[in-house]
Amino acid sequence: MSLNILVVAEADHPFYELITKHYEVRGIEEAMASFDIYDYVIDCSQLRTQKKYYFIKELAHTTKAPVITDLSLCWGEWIYHNCPFVKGAISTLFYAPSKSLEFSIKDENDFQTKKVITDFYQSLNKEALYHQDLKLSFHYPRVISMIINEAYFSLEENLASKTAIDLAMKNGVSYPLGPFEWGEKIGLALIIELLRELREVTGEDRYKISHQLKLEAIKL
Amino acid sequence: MMIKKIAVVGAGTMGQGIAQWFLQQKIQVELIDQNFDFSLKSAKTIETNLETLMTKGKLSASDVEVMKSSLKVIKLEDISVSTDLVIEAIIEDKKIKCDLFSKLESLLNSKTIIASNTSSFPITELAASLSSESRSRFLGLHFFNPATLMKLVEVISGTETNKELSYKLTEWFNSKGKVACQCSDAPGFIVNRVARNFYGESLRACGVYDEKRFFEIDSVMKNVGGFKMGPFELMDLIGIDVNLSVTESVYNAFFNEARFKPHRLQKEMVSSGRLGRKTKRGFYQYES
């Protein structure tokens, strides 16, 4: 039986075109204004934890559907704890150079949610990689954001040029992309949002953001 | 820039690799180690490596003969005065390195470039072991293991290094197929600094010893991030003690900057002798 699924995504989502080929897609405002009923909602919005909480609460109420939500920028454990209508989580916002994307499900025996996610990833030409017991955040966005942030700290301290740092990481430790190339592909604003979230949740200074990264990310 | 003859001091893994790479550029190499027999053994390994490359069709027999005849094992006192470049690749001990640089200065002419392959000491601090006249021709040349295969050379200028010299050496390495990157003299240089949180953040994502979680993070970083190895399997390969030592060195050099803070799990692994593949136990267990 085919499920009636709504995907919430804005036009700047990295997989927007692919998603629109396979799913009914609405932006955040449009989704909030609708009272259509669905079997599942897949929320790909870029909201951070608290805004996401209110959004998906409203979304679940109007659509009467279980929600799978993108938690690339959010405190996953908190969303799971406070949002009973969230059944699973995906991570699609950060450009990933390889074949897979991470996902999580609240109840590991919830095979239907798992299938909805794996089918969704398949439509993005990605394989689904299970992340057990989602805590602070998904692994890839967190680790890559810290690497890119450090590259920007190095740049602001005149350690080397962007080109030299990119070349060094690719040729010294075989990174698939240099950190600046990587940051451009992901979008610096997303990296900043995640680091802010990590700092707010943990209270740790290790997540402070490079001045240079902010300088280059904040565009009027 | 013309480099016809170099000397490599330290015949361990890095020194041996560096010496072989220069030989493959058909440059004369003097290989030196405080243990003469060890440097002979290292030279023999280089010859075997060159012959293997010949067998695989990557080098011609005549080229290998030229390379082998270009390698000389000598004692430090016999180093050629006219050597263009000396690369130090000895133990990471600041005093031993500084003593060596002072000795080299007394043995070489005033044009020889003196370089250190250090991964942890500031070049400006090492340069202080030389007279003020010699400091302009002292710099860092940080190769990556295996030096014959890894293309990167970090070219590190200390405060008193002649910037034109760094630039010319960078150009020279690039013309020989290396990827030389100029950087300033800051802790960890480029790679050992920027890569710290590949390990550090992964350790925090894991928190405690949990082999399933190590595997999960390794899988994510390879299959999502496109890295060749995950952080935990890579730490096991490098040596968890070696990785911790680099982390501590960068953390201390940045006056306890939170971004570089070592994780207690690293310390726990090292204290309990679980150092990675070399001890058959690390984040993973290996068959004996």
Side-chain angles (χ1 to χ4, degrees):
Chain A
M1 187 188 80
S2 106
L3 295 169
N4 187 20
I5 297 173
L6 171 68
V7 177
V8 179
E10 302 293 340
D12 61 353
H13 187 281
F15 291 103
Y16 187 76
E17 282 188 26
L18 271 178
I19 298 170
T20 53
K21 280 185 187 169
H22 300 275
Y23 293 90
E24 180 187 344
V25 182
R26 290 183 183 173
I28 293 175
E29 285 185 18
E30 206 186 346
M32 292 285 270
S34 162
F35 286 91
D36 294 339
I37 291 172
Y38 293 90
D39 297 317
Y40 266 94
V41 175
I42 301 176
D43 158 44
C44 298
S45 68
Q46 296 182 8
L47 302 171
R48 275 174 61 195
T49 307
Q50 287 195 16
K51 282 186 180 170
K52 177 142 289 203
Y53 167 77
Y54 289 113
F55 174 60
I56 49 186
K57 191 177 171 189
E58 185 66 25
L59 199 59
H61 177 70
T62 54
T63 61
K64 315 287 183 211
V67 176
I68 293 163
T69 186
D70 195 305
L71 297 181
S72 301
L73 302 176
C74 299
W75 182 7
E77 195 177 17
W78 190 91
I79 292 283
Y80 270 176
H81 185 72
N82 290 287
C83 305
F85 23 82
V86 170
K87 301 298 178 193
I90 53 174
S91 180
T92 62
L93 298 179
F94 279 58
Y95 162 81
S98 203
K99 61 183 180 183
S100 305
L101 294 174
E102 290 174 86
F103 79 99
S104 150
I105 39 177
K106 193 185 267 178
D107 171 4
E108 61 182 19
N109 296 315
D110 180 356
F111 299 109
Q112 189 173 28
T113 300
K114 188 177 179 184
K115 177 147 186 0
V116 171
I117 293 174
T118 50
D119 287 350
F120 180 63
Y121 276 2
Q122 201 169 25
S123 74
L124 310 181
N125 301 320
K126 292 285 186 180
E127 289 174 14
L129 196 59
Y130 183 50
H131 178 130
Q132 197 173 24
D133 192 20
L134 184 63
K135 296 280 188 192
L136 182 56
S137 81
F138 280 110
H139 301 314
Y140 167 69
R142 177 177 176 177
V143 175
I144 200 63
S145 294
M146 286 296 278
I147 292 170
I148 293 166
N149 192 34
E150 194 54 43
Y152 274 93
F153 271 113
S154 304
L155 188 67
E156 79 183 43
E157 292 166 20
N158 292 320
L159 176 68
S161 67
K162 278 187 181 180
T163 307
I165 294 171
D166 275 349
L167 280 172
M169 299 313 289
K170 287 192 285 187
N171 291 283
V173 273
S174 303
Y175 279 24
L177 291 163
F180 297 103
E181 296 169 326
W182 220 320
E184 285 301 317
K185 283 188 176 287
I186 291 168
L188 302 183
L190 286 181
I191 293 162
I192 286 181
E193 287 299 306
L194 177 58
L195 292 171
R196 279 190 179 136
E197 182 73 16
L198 292 169
R199 195 171 189 193
E200 278 175 27
V201 174
T202 64
E204 286 191 44
D205 279 347
R206 62 183 278 102
Y207 299 109
K208 75 180 173 191
I209 302 162
S210 147
H211 169 87
Q212 187 68 32
L213 175 55
K214 283 191 256 188
L215 192 69
E216 294 192 23
I218 300 166
K219 295 184 175 104
L220 295 175
Chain B
M1 171 171 276
M2 288 285 281
I3 296 179
K4 290 182 177 171
K5 185 189 278 188
I6 71 145
V8 177
V9 185
T13 307
M14 284 311 296
Q16 183 187 298
I18 294 166
Q20 185 180 325
W21 182 82
F22 275 93
L23 286 168
Q24 288 178 231
Q25 311 313 309
K26 299 187 181 156
I27 288 164
Q28 291 179 52
V29 175
E30 292 178 334
L31 185 60
I32 300 162
D33 196 281
Q34 63 168 1
N35 181 337
F36 191 73
D37 288 342
F38 184 69
S39 47
L40 285 173
K41 200 175 155 190
S42 185
K44 189 73 193 161
T45 305
I46 292 172
E47 289 181 358
T48 306
N49 291 345
L50 293 171
E51 282 161 9
T52 304
L53 288 171
M54 182 181 72
T55 312
K56 288 180 177 172
K58 294 187 175 172
L59 293 174
S60 70
S62 58
D63 279 349
V64 169
E65 277 316 302
V66 170
M67 291 168 196
K68 282 160 78 172
S69 65
S70 299
L71 176 62
K72 289 188 173 58
V73 174
I74 59 163
K75 291 184 175 171
L76 182 62
E77 292 72 25
D78 300 324
I79 192 169
S80 298
V81 177
S82 60
T83 290
D84 298 308
L85 168 68
V86 180
I87 301 171
E88 165 275 310
I90 63 171
I91 186 171
E92 285 292 282
D93 181 305
K94 191 175 164 189
K95 183 173 184 319
I96 297 173
K97 283 182 191 284
C98 287
D99 289 346
L100 172 67
F101 296 132
S102 301
K103 178 98 177 168
L104 284 169
E105 187 179 23
S106 69
L107 293 168
L108 298 164
N109 72 33
S110 61
K111 287 184 179 168
T112 302
I113 303 162
I114 304 174
S116 174
N117 182 53
T118 183
S119 58
S120 51
F121 296 116
I123 297 305
T124 306
E125 285 182 23
L126 295 178
S129 59
L130 300 173
S131 66
S132 54
E133 298 78 41
S134 298
R135 291 175 195 167
S136 62
R137 57 189 168 91
F138 182 82
L139 77 170
L141 288 178
H142 187 209
F143 292 78
F144 288 75
N145 188 29
T148 49
L149 297 178
M150 296 304 287
K151 289 193 166 193
L152 180 64
V153 183
E154 291 176 327
V155 180
I156 306 125
S157 298
T159 308
E160 294 176 78
T161 305
N162 180 333
K163 299 296 182 285
E164 196 183 339
L165 173 67
S166 295
Y167 175 76
K168 283 184 176 172
L169 259 178
T170 303
E171 295 265 285
W172 184 85
F173 276 114
N174 285 334
S175 75
K176 299 290 180 187
K178 284 281 186 195
V179 174
C181 294
Q182 290 192 77
C183 70
S184 60
D185 188 17
F189 312 128
I190 300 173
V191 169
N192 276 340
R193 172 180 177 173
V194 176
R196 288 275 53 78
N197 270 307
F198 182 59
Y199 313 106
E201 198 55 26
S202 300
L203 281 156
R204 274 159 188 82
C206 206
V208 294
Y209 188 92
D210 180 347
E211 204 167 319
K212 270 189 182 171
R213 198 68 155 179
F214 303 145
F215 182 79
E216 179 181 284
I217 295 171
D218 279 347
S219 299
V220 166
M221 296 317 291
K222 288 186 288 185
N223 296 313
V224 180
F227 290 87
K228 285 189 176 169
M229 291 181 81
F232 295 99
E233 56 188 351
L234 189 51
M235 280 188 275
D236 272 0
L237 183 68
I238 295 166
I240 299 168
D241 52 338
V242 174
N243 191 276
L244 175 62
S245 165
V246 176
T247 305
E248 286 178 335
S249 160
V250 174
Y251 179 61
N252 293 335
F254 276 100
F255 297 101
N256 300 358
E257 168 58 53
R259 301 194 309 277
F260 304 115
K261 190 176 180 182
H263 192 271
R264 65 175 179 77
L265 183 55
Q266 284 173 290
K267 187 83 181 164
E268 183 185 301
M269 300 292 288
V270 173
S271 303
S272 60
R274 291 174 291 171
L275 308 180
R277 283 183 175 271
K278 61 188 171 187
T279 58
K280 310 287 182 201
R281 282 203 70 186
F283 293 109
Y284 299 103
Q285 295 188 44
Y286 301 91
E287 295 295 319
S288 52

